[in-house]
Amino acid sequence: MSARQTFGLAVGALYTLTMKRMKSGGGWRAIRYTLKKGREVGLWNMWRAMRTRNACKTCALGMGGQKGGMVNEAGHFPEVCKKSLQAMAADMQGAIKDSFWSTYSTAQLKAFSPLDLETCGRLVHPVVLEPGSDYYKVISWEDAFRRITGKLLGIPADESFWYFSGRSSNEAGFLLQLFARLYGTNNVNNCSYYCHQASGVGLQSAVGTGTATLQLEDVEHADCVFVIGGNPASNHPRLMTTLKNVRRRGGDVIVINPVIETGLVNFRVPSDPWSLLFGTKIATLYVQPHIGGDLALLTGIAKRIDEMGAADERFLNEHCDGYEQWIAALRAISWAEIHAKSGVSQRDIDAIAEKYAAAKNVVFSWTMGITHHAHGVENVQAICNLAFQRGMVGRPNAGLMPIRGHSNVQGIGSMGVTPKLKDVVFERLQNHFQVQLPTTVGLDTLACMDGAREGRLKFGFCLGGNLYGSNPDANYAAESIAELDQIVYLNTTLNTGHAHGLAKETIILPVLARDEEPQATTQESMFNYVRLSDGGPRRHEGPRSEVDVIASIAAGVLGGRTPIDWQSMQDTGRIREAIAKVVPGFEQLAGIEKTKKEFQIGGRTFHTAKFPTPSGRGQLHVHTLPELRGEGEQLRLMTVRSEGQFNTVVYEEEDIYRGQDRRDVILMHPDDVSRLGFKENQRVTVVSQTGQMKNILVRPFSEIRAGNVLMYYPEANVLVPRDIDPASRTPAFKNIAVTIHADTPSRLTLVPIAGG
Ligand code: SF4
């Protein structure tokens, strides 16, 4: 061990002794953090920035818009959280200086952590990394456009792919997918293929729509909310106000998660004096299945409801297809199989079923602990089955609620950013613009990485996000991107993709943040609510608006070859007129800049049991329960975000709720630590079928179920295989079989599975 490592270990151990795990989420610490972030950029500046009429830049819960910043869809103020402040503070950074690019080589940038890169400052000039060079160099916008249009004009369209992040506006998303298709390819996809695609596919198969079936108002009247496979206390903090309200009304919050997350046990809502002072108990029941045990557990709850005679037979018969087959399969599954494959006792399953049976208005929410599995769609279908069983979908104050990540990830999907357009959108696009769209089969995100690796794709265009950082099998992702002739990134700040996701030629284009846009843009929340963002003054000279960049490149590539005046498409009002005509449910978008009327998208809220499936009825699905992963010597690993992180963006190294001061750690149950002969802070190598991570510190963590371990995403993506859910093609970021080896060359520790 080097002197540096020894020193790091000593400091790490000392810090661990001094870093206390929090007993509740939110609270004074959140308020202190708010003030600290505010002071970094000036309290008044931060206040003004947060109050502008723009949709929150971070999660899809959605705040802000025309009601003003920090206001939720129910009009409640102040709704603000650490995530939104972190994103705002990042956008309020100073500019990266020109000298930065000649100072740091790509080898040096590769050594930067995600946090180091994020805090380098705002991107303000286009830069290029040319073939054979080790340094990015600043170029003009004209030069950047010339390089990009030159490449696009020189290759067949199907050798390109177009990746979209959920942070871009509806207008930018719509315009870019239109450009890509008229350029000639359907290789159009978005970040949701690595997060909630399984929710969309699962919901579509069960209720005929891919989004939440309810509105925020419905959740505010529920008397029981399931929170499955997620940690909204860290990732969607303002949802905690809603959960607090459920508890205060005497309702139940049932949390299903292999890890006990502090904020889901007790949360101090800063905007509620009583909760702030005394804390609010969030989970009524907290049940810990093994990683990958959700489908068995959900099936077990349904089986118990059936045994209790608590099912709504009338609803199942009148409003669902497949009831007889489903109930027969449910009754045929043995309890022994359910216990073995979920890791949950009969007592816990009974307790959940009793709460569910007693509740009148139930909401089922879930996040990536459900979708990041090789059976992600089946997990979602099992949640739908459970909701159908008691008639908890297709009525007010109840329903299905996938908790989405990025602030406009749902809107990007609505805008047609998928390889295959819905038939109605395809027809309307052709008619509205008088164009012919390609009918070739488009590639999803992972298929694009495969295409690049195999040399079939030559060009990638990334509208925001971090394509490299969000991929499973990080080494494969880097190798795939390296095969491309050119990749173009549109971003506001640096990320690991700019250091590791390098093509033969890599171009970074700096763009404006949402609240700096010169024109209004729109976003869609996870409750299907469309917000209007005013934009605002730019903070730096240099970055351009996303629609400006897209329209300029489209004009250079397609000018004169299509009936569309691409330069005129820089006008976001014009784009909205087209969206209103093309995308069902968005009719009110056309005049929104004048009316200022934000709206609920038509046809997506189900307050009656009439579903947009071919039969108009809900669809029950039968499943075979998967075996728990991990054989003999393996543990089940799930990759997670920390408290100071949003998706691939890391704002803080520490994870205060889990009591961790750093990210190069593996969190293991103390029983596993001692049984395997490890010690706290011992360095180990974690090995999966895909890769390995050395120099990882063992951290005892009693909040995780024995037999399961946690590591931080995106760093641990190097361990994540490219195993996908066949129905949604979502990779299994949450269920990876690993072995752990002591970092002593002569000693190999084989790890038996525990608690299985
Ligand atoms: S919970 Fe989500 S939408 Fe609300 S303020 Fe925080 S990041 Fe923004």
Side-chain angles (χ1 to χ4, degrees):
M1 187 182 295
S2 70
R4 190 165 164 240
Q5 284 174 328
T6 309
F7 178 72
L9 196 59
V11 170
L14 186 63
Y15 197 160
T16 306
L17 288 175
T18 54
M19 187 168 179
K20 277 203 186 134
R21 190 167 304 153
M22 292 176 69
K23 293 210 170 71
S24 59
W28 295 107
R29 189 154 181 168
I31 293 174
R32 277 202 302 278
Y33 186 87
T34 304
L35 292 171
K36 176 174 158 262
K37 274 282 152 201
R39 275 200 302 274
E40 280 171 23
V41 293
L43 276 171
W44 177 240
N45 289 343
M46 180 61 94
W47 172 258
R48 276 197 320 184
M50 294 300 293
R51 284 293 286 147
T52 59
R53 287 197 298 262
N54 288 287
C56 175
K57 296 174 196 172
T58 317
C59 89
L61 201 56
M63 307 290 160
Q66 293 304 296
K67 293 191 180 106
M70 304 193 281
V71 181
N72 75 7
E73 282 161 38
H76 189 260
F77 170 86
E79 293 288 340
V80 62
C81 77
K82 185 172 173 176
K83 300 276 174 245
S84 53
L85 288 164
Q86 286 166 327
M88 186 61 81
D91 285 342
M92 293 170 81
Q93 293 181 89
I96 294 177
K97 293 197 171 64
D98 285 6
S99 57
F100 174 92
W101 304 108
S102 53
T103 305
Y104 295 102
S105 67
T106 50
Q108 287 170 302
L109 292 179
K110 282 187 169 93
F112 281 29
S113 70
L115 174 66
D116 294 336
L117 290 161
E118 171 68 19
T119 50
C120 281
R122 280 289 297 273
L123 293 158
V124 291
H125 298 298
V127 292
V128 64
L129 181 69
E130 291 177 323
S133 174
D134 292 328
Y135 291 85
Y136 280 102
K137 72 171 183 186
V138 173
I139 54 173
S140 66
W141 278 99
E142 291 66 34
D143 189 8
F145 288 158
R146 186 185 51 75
R147 288 168 189 259
I148 297 164
T149 52
K151 174 50 65 184
L152 284 169
L153 288 169
I155 58 170
D158 269 337
E159 291 186 2
S160 69
F161 73 88
W162 308 75
Y163 172 81
F164 300 56
S165 120
R167 203 152 152 175
S168 295
S169 65
N170 288 333
E171 291 76 4
F174 182 86
L175 187 64
L176 184 59
Q177 67 84 28
L178 179 65
F179 165 41
R181 292 188 209 279
L182 291 181
Y183 170 60
T185 184
N186 283 321
N187 295 340
V188 168
N189 51 64
N190 69 65
C191 56
S192 125
Y193 277 90
Y194 290 157
C195 59
H196 263 289
Q197 189 67 10
S199 294
V201 174
L203 283 167
Q204 190 77 41
S205 70
V207 292
T209 180
T211 60
T213 63
L214 41 58
Q215 301 177 12
L216 177 60
E217 183 68 15
D218 293 310
V219 196
E220 295 292 351
H221 290 94
D223 63 352
C224 179
V225 177
F226 280 78
V227 179
I228 312 173
N231 183 17
S234 280
N235 299 321
H236 303 78
R238 296 285 39 91
L239 192 62
M240 302 312 291
T241 310
T242 305
L243 298 179
K244 172 211 74 177
N245 294 342
V246 173
R247 289 303 308 270
R248 208 167 265 178
R249 290 195 297 274
D252 289 312
V253 175
I254 299 171
V255 180
I256 296 173
N257 192 324
V259 180
I260 294 182
E261 302 285 10
T262 302
L264 294 179
V265 176
N266 199 1
F267 200 87
R268 293 172 190 263
V269 177
S271 62
D272 182 310
W274 187 266
S275 174
L276 178 63
L277 284 173
F278 303 109
T280 304
K281 297 258 176 283
I282 299 298
T284 326
L285 273 179
Y286 207 123
V287 175
Q288 292 178 274
H290 283 304
I291 295 167
D294 305 276
L295 186 52
L297 172 56
L298 293 162
T299 304
I301 300 166
K303 185 175 175 72
R304 185 72 191 118
I305 289 286
D306 177 51
E307 288 177 355
M308 291 164 69
D312 185 339
E313 302 277 345
R314 190 193 58 79
F315 185 93
L316 287 164
N317 282 310
E318 289 181 11
H319 300 296
C320 297
D321 288 333
Y323 177 40
E324 280 179 21
Q325 198 188 359
W326 177 69
I327 202 71
L330 192 66
R331 289 173 183 167
I333 294 174
S334 73
W335 279 114
E337 183 180 358
I338 289 168
H339 299 154
K341 292 181 173 174
S342 67
V344 181
S345 68
Q346 188 66 51
R347 196 191 57 178
D348 283 346
I349 294 173
D350 290 354
I352 300 175
E354 276 156 28
K355 291 272 180 215
Y356 181 33
K360 293 194 168 50
N361 299 309
V362 183
V363 168
F364 289 87
S365 73
W366 67 92
T367 181
M368 291 186 289
I370 281 293
T371 59
H372 273 171
H373 290 273
H375 49 272
V377 165
E378 292 177 301
N379 280 345
V380 174
Q381 288 170 340
I383 294 172
C384 298
N385 287 346
L386 206 47
F388 288 140
Q389 194 181 19
R390 291 208 58 238
M392 291 296 170
V393 60
R395 48 173 284 197
N397 307 331
L400 301 161
M401 186 174 101
I403 305 176
R404 307 255 180 190
H406 261 319
S407 55
N408 195 39
V409 67
Q410 209 169 283
I412 287 290
S414 296
M415 294 303 108
V417 180
T418 49
K420 180 164 180 3
L421 286 168
K422 286 186 177 147
D423 291 347
V424 59
V425 175
F426 181 90
E427 291 302 328
R428 288 184 184 179
L429 260 182
Q430 293 205 137
N431 291 338
H432 181 74
F433 288 106
Q434 294 296 296
V435 291
Q436 284 288 318
L437 297 173
T439 52
T440 45
V441 176
L443 302 177
D444 60 62
T445 314
L446 196 54
C448 286
M449 302 310 287
D450 292 337
R453 186 74 181 77
E454 292 158 15
R456 287 182 282 113
L457 299 183
K458 301 283 183 219
F459 172 89
F461 190 97
C462 299
L463 180 65
N466 180 353
L467 174 62
Y468 161 79
S470 49
N471 256 280
D473 195 347
N475 292 332
Y476 180 83
E479 288 164 15
S480 300
I481 296 170
E483 292 296 323
L484 297 171
D485 289 349
Q486 187 182 80
I487 193 159
V488 180
Y489 295 116
L490 275 64
N491 288 100
T492 55
T493 53
L494 279 174
N495 63 46
T496 53
H498 304 129
H500 300 268
L502 304 177
K504 295 180 183 110
E505 182 176 66
T506 302
I507 296 173
I508 309 174
L509 302 178
V511 289
L512 295 167
R514 179 176 301 160
D515 57 341
E516 300 167 352
E517 287 277 354
Q519 306 175 69
T521 61
T522 57
Q523 293 76 31
E524 174 187 332
S525 82
M526 70 186 209
F527 294 108
N528 302 303
Y529 186 76
V530 175
R531 284 191 168 78
L532 176 68
S533 293
D534 283 352
R538 58 169 59 244
R539 296 187 175 93
H540 297 284
E541 288 304 319
R544 291 197 183 184
S545 130
E546 287 177 339
V547 289
D548 171 353
V549 174
I550 297 163
S552 299
I553 297 171
V557 176
L558 296 179
R561 284 171 51 200
T562 64
I564 298 172
D565 173 4
W566 290 98
Q567 287 296 356
S568 75
M569 295 301 273
Q570 291 185 6
D571 177 351
T572 58
R574 228 181 136 151
I575 303 172
R576 280 191 292 278
E577 280 169 22
I579 297 170
K581 293 219 167 71
V582 167
V583 183
F586 279 76
E587 295 75 14
Q588 296 179 57
L589 200 73
I592 196 171
E593 211 177 334
K594 284 206 183 90
T595 64
K596 307 282 182 199
K597 235 175 111 187
E598 299 173 330
F599 61 93
Q600 205 73 37
I601 299 166
R604 294 207 190 158
T605 302
F606 298 98
H607 282 164
T608 57
K610 179 95 184 93
F611 304 107
T613 54
S615 66
R617 293 153 64 90
Q619 304 295 305
L620 289 153
H621 292 269
V622 174
H623 305 116
T624 304
L625 304 185
E627 298 290 339
L628 286 177
R629 278 210 174 155
E631 289 165 11
E633 299 164 350
Q634 297 168 321
L635 292 158
R636 289 172 289 275
L637 165 72
M638 70 175 181
T639 62
V640 294
R641 276 83 164 155
S642 70
E643 163 62 13
Q645 174 177 4
F646 187 71
N647 290 343
T648 55
V649 184
V650 177
Y651 295 111
E652 294 169 347
E653 291 291 332
E654 62 181 17
D655 186 2
I656 53 172
Y657 290 174
R658 300 193 186 108
Q660 300 303 314
D661 56 307
R662 53 198 294 164
R663 297 173 61 83
D664 54 346
V665 295
I666 183 164
L667 276 55
M668 300 170 66
H669 192 276
D671 289 354
D672 284 335
V673 175
S674 60
R675 183 171 46 80
L676 302 169
F678 293 135
K679 295 212 164 27
E680 181 170 3
N681 285 323
Q682 180 172 348
R683 292 200 177 257
V684 293
T685 297
V686 183
V687 181
S688 73
Q689 69 178 75
T690 301
Q692 61 174 15
M693 289 182 81
K694 294 186 170 175
N695 277 328
I696 299 299
L697 293 174
V698 169
R699 291 283 167 88
F701 189 67
S702 55
E703 284 78 0
I704 191 165
R705 191 72 200 271
N708 306 280
V709 285
L710 281 189
M711 293 179 78
Y712 290 114
Y713 164 102
E715 293 91 328
N717 283 354
V718 75
L719 299 170
V720 181
R722 282 170 281 127
D723 292 352
I724 52 166
D725 168 24
S728 67
R729 297 187 52 82
T730 307
F733 287 91
K734 291 284 189 286
N735 195 6
I736 306 140
V738 295
T739 51
I740 304 174
H741 309 261
D743 262 0
T744 310
S746 57
R747 187 170 150 225
L748 179 72
T749 305
L750 296 176
V751 182
I753 216 151

